[in-house]
């Protein structure tokens, strides 16, 4: 498994291109903006996109998704409880930032589902709190988790937006994220990567 990170959009969102080195197939996680840049990277890496995974429905994680879906014919996946958020320009915050944007996903996922995509198996972990239907995508074989805005390096996602709850977020971190092996690499929606073990010792918010 190869992971290429791109920082896109006005909020410096981490977009990840996860690919299989042998087959050249790929998954895009949280394409928040700048579809043209993402497509250029896909072309540079000579990859074939199989799917687009969204960790949650906020605008800064999905505003390039529709353009990429059309370009590659790839389904968009998101947590089942994010359906309304994804389609509402007020609650997905795109209206607030002056660019109303709403989409409909192709596949709605939930806790425990395993997605075999691009030679990689992603297990869906429900991690509500930042939003009601936020999820993480865990790759057990490579001890990696794409954690969206649930947890960051020494911090956590905001909970003062629609459907957010700090109490629920902390529960998700302790009951879901912190039960993963301590060597698990966390690839968050913003900022630097980290590990479960490091955050258990150093994350003041969790």
């Amino acid at each position: 498994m190869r992971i290429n990170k791109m920082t896109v959009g006005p909020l410096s969102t981490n977009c990840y291109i996860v690919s299989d080195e042998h087959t050249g197939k790929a998954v895009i996680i949280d394409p928040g903006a700048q579809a043209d840049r993402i497509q250029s990277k896909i072309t540079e890496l000579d990859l074939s996109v199989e799917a687009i995974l969204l960790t949650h429905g906020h605008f800064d994680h999905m505003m390039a998704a529709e353009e990429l879906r059309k370009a590659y014919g790839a389904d968009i996946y998101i947590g089942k409880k994010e359906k309304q958020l994804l389609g509402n320009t007020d609650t997905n915050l795109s209206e607030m930032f002056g660019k109303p944007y709403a989409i409909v996903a192709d596949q709605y996922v939930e806790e425990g589902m395993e997605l075999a995509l691009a030679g990689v198996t992603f297990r869906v972990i429900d991690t509500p709190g930042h939003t009601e239907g936020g999820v993480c995508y865990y790759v057990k074989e490579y001890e990696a988790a794409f954690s969206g805005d649930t947890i960051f390096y020494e911090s956590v996602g905001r909970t003062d937006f629609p459907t957010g709850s700090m109490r629920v977020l902390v529960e998700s971190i302790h009951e879901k994220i912190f039960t993963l092996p301590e060597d698990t690499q966390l690839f968050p929606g913003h900022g630097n990567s980290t590990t479960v073990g490091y955050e258990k010792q150093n994350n003041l918010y969790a």
Side-chain angles (χ1 to χ4, degrees), residues 5-24:
K5 183 178 84 170
M6 301 179 68
T7 303
V8 300
L11 300 186
S12 298
T13 302
N14 291 335
C15 169
Y16 298 98
I17 300 170
V18 181
S19 59
D20 183 308
E21 299 174 71
H22 304 292
T23 65

Side-chain angles (χ1 to χ4, degrees), residues 130-150:
H130 178 64
T131 62
E132 181 183 21
V135 300
C136 295
Y137 298 100
Y138 174 54
V139 183
K140 183 178 180 180
E141 183 181 0
Y142 296 98
E143 292 192 346
F146 299 89
S147 57
D149 289 1
T150 298

